[in-house]
Amino acid sequence: MAADGTLTHPVTSDRIRALRAEEPKLRARDFAARHGLAEAELVAAQVGHGATRIAAHPDQLIPLVGTLGDVMALTRNESCVIERRGTYENYHSGAHAQMVLGDEIDMRFFGKHWLHAFALEDGESRSIQVFDAAGDAVHKVHLKPESDVAAFARLVEALRLDDQSDSLVLEPRALTEAPKGDAERVEVLRAEWAKMTDTHQFLRLVSKLKFNRLGAYRLVGAPFAVAMAPEAVGLLLDRVAASQTPLMIFVGNQGCIEIHSGTIETVTPMGPWINVLDPRFNLHLRGDHIAEVWLVDKPTNNGPALSLEAFDADGGLILQIFGSRKHGGIDAFNATLAGLPRKEAAQ
């Protein structure tokens, strides 16, 4: 072990389990970070001791997750965690992306990043955890008292891999792409942006012009993208909760995007965290990680789609918040956005 407490590799699974037994209540992610492990290495060390390696691709895994009934879906990045109760329903496969379009669980999956999956059992606690090539968590499914335990057993039996080794070969973590744009092509960006008829055209547009999301926002200017004060995200959550204005919150990583649609009720700050603590929906956002916030206007056939989008200091997308056309209240949501502080006013 190094002087800072991290483990020197290679490290045996026996050693990981022994250290874990000394700190059983520490969150898995925090334990892994403390000891210089990827979270997937910690989970893999439990294979044969409550963990089972299972097939990871959404096409194999998610239809069987749908048989579990009411569960909790969890997706996170470095700065935000989204947790939604519900049932995985209406699964759609695809060559590049897969979807669940249930009334409560609404998700987009990018199966090429679903490389290591485990079913975990610890007493009454059961979960399914999926990790990417670097061993970072892509998505987790936690069973609740209402979940179907027999269906979980059937899932494990159906997806159990022949390889039940308790160690992993991981790849280096991909770095966040720096903001990318070309000032000489800004007028082309503005002209093409104004012609959009669907929000999904945006990423194709910026890719074609060799921009990325944040690079485009920094260069395109108003009315398409306006820099906002970092506190705008917390203020928006407070105000839509108070007015019961419906919204859509998107939180994701390279392998998964989880979406909450509807209203929120209880916004509770705790230290650096901004928390939404509702009966079937939780959000945990590190407010101190927010380095840039943009109010973005994308034209669509149904009118402008306005969003508030937060980025970290490396330019990584933390979350996006839109109004919800399905649940109504777009005008109220857009009016709330208009009342948030801009970056200039905060200086």
Side-chain angles (χ1 to χ4, degrees), residues 291-313:
E292 295 184 46
V293 178
W294 292 87
L295 174 56
V296 184
D297 181 339
K298 299 186 182 81
T300 78
N301 284 331
N302 295 316
L306 303 183
S307 60
L308 197 70
E309 308 189 12
F311 296 82
D312 63 24

Side-chain angles (χ1 to χ4, degrees), residues 32-343:
R34 174 178 294 184
H35 294 288
L37 298 167
E39 189 179 352
E41 290 180 288
L42 169 60
V43 176
Q46 308 303 319
V47 169
H49 301 267
T52 303
R53 297 181 70 151
I54 59 175
H57 195 278
D59 282 353
Q60 297 169 276
L61 179 56
I62 298 302
L64 291 179
V65 169
T67 68
L68 301 178
D70 192 50
V71 295
M72 189 266 277
L74 185 154
T75 304
R76 72 169 303 151
N77 53 49
E78 288 295 324
S79 304
C80 194
V81 185
I82 184 170
E83 303 170 356
R84 191 71 168 88
R85 290 286 298 271
T87 302
Y88 287 68
E89 300 173 311
N90 198 7
Y91 179 73
H92 296 262
S93 184
H96 303 292
Q98 303 78 37
M99 298 183 290
V100 162
L101 300 174
D103 290 336
E104 293 186 284
I105 304 294
D106 184 1
M107 304 196 64
R108 310 293 178 268
F109 309 121
F110 307 98
K112 70 178 183 179
H113 296 294
W114 290 46
L115 295 186
H116 308 288
F118 303 86
L120 283 76
E121 296 187 66
D122 182 8
E124 297 298 311
S125 175
R126 296 174 176 83
S127 66
I128 295 160
Q129 304 190 16
V130 183
F131 301 88
D132 64 15
D136 293 329
V138 170
H139 186 55
K140 298 181 181 181
V141 181
H142 290 273
L143 274 68
K144 308 304 287 186
E146 300 83 359
S147 306
D148 189 333
V149 174
F152 179 82
R154 291 192 294 269
L155 180 153
V156 175
E157 181 64 25
L159 299 183
R160 179 187 175 94
L161 298 178
D162 292 336
D163 176 11
Q164 290 296 317
S165 57
D166 61 3
S167 62
L168 294 173
V169 176
L170 301 176
E171 298 179 7
R173 184 176 291 109
L175 298 177
T176 301
E177 183 181 51
K180 181 172 64 175
D182 182 352
E184 295 184 358
R185 308 198 75 184
V186 170
E187 291 306 320
V188 177
L189 174 65
R190 290 173 181 152
E192 293 297 315
W193 192 311
K195 295 177 184 176
M196 282 195 295
T197 58
D198 188 284
T199 57
H200 296 96
Q201 295 167 358
F202 171 75
L203 289 180
R204 292 196 294 270
L205 167 61
V206 296
S207 177
K208 180 180 72 173
L209 296 177
K210 302 190 184 308
F211 288 63
N212 60 12
R213 183 187 299 275
L214 186 54
Y217 293 170
R218 287 182 175 180
L219 288 172
V220 73
F224 301 118
V226 177
M228 307 295 286
E231 63 267 26
V233 177
L235 289 172
L236 176 62
L237 294 174
D238 283 337
R239 291 173 185 179
V240 297
S243 63
Q244 286 295 280
T245 300
L247 76 170
M248 299 178 70
I249 302 174
F250 293 69
V251 178
N253 51 56
Q254 66 176 351
C256 186
I257 299 171
E258 187 167 336
I259 306 164
H260 166 73
S261 298
T263 56
I264 59 175
E265 299 174 13
T266 306
V267 181
T268 306
M270 297 179 186
W273 293 93
I274 302 168
N275 302 286
V276 179
L277 303 174
D278 293 346
R280 296 184 66 79
F281 171 65
N282 282 191
L283 184 80
H284 309 287
L285 169 65
R286 282 289 298 259
D288 58 331
H289 285 191
I290 298 174
E292 295 184 46
V293 178
W294 292 87
L295 174 56
V296 184
D297 181 339
K298 299 186 182 81
T300 78
N301 284 331
N302 295 316
L306 303 183
S307 60
L308 197 70
E309 308 189 12
F311 296 82
D312 63 24
D314 294 325
L317 180 62
I318 298 174
L319 84 169
Q320 299 170 291
I321 307 175
F322 289 79
S324 175
R325 293 190 186 277
K326 176 181 177 181
H327 296 88
I330 282 288
D331 291 343
F333 179 83
N334 291 349
T336 304
L337 287 180
L340 297 173
R342 299 191 177 197
K343 182 178 180 181

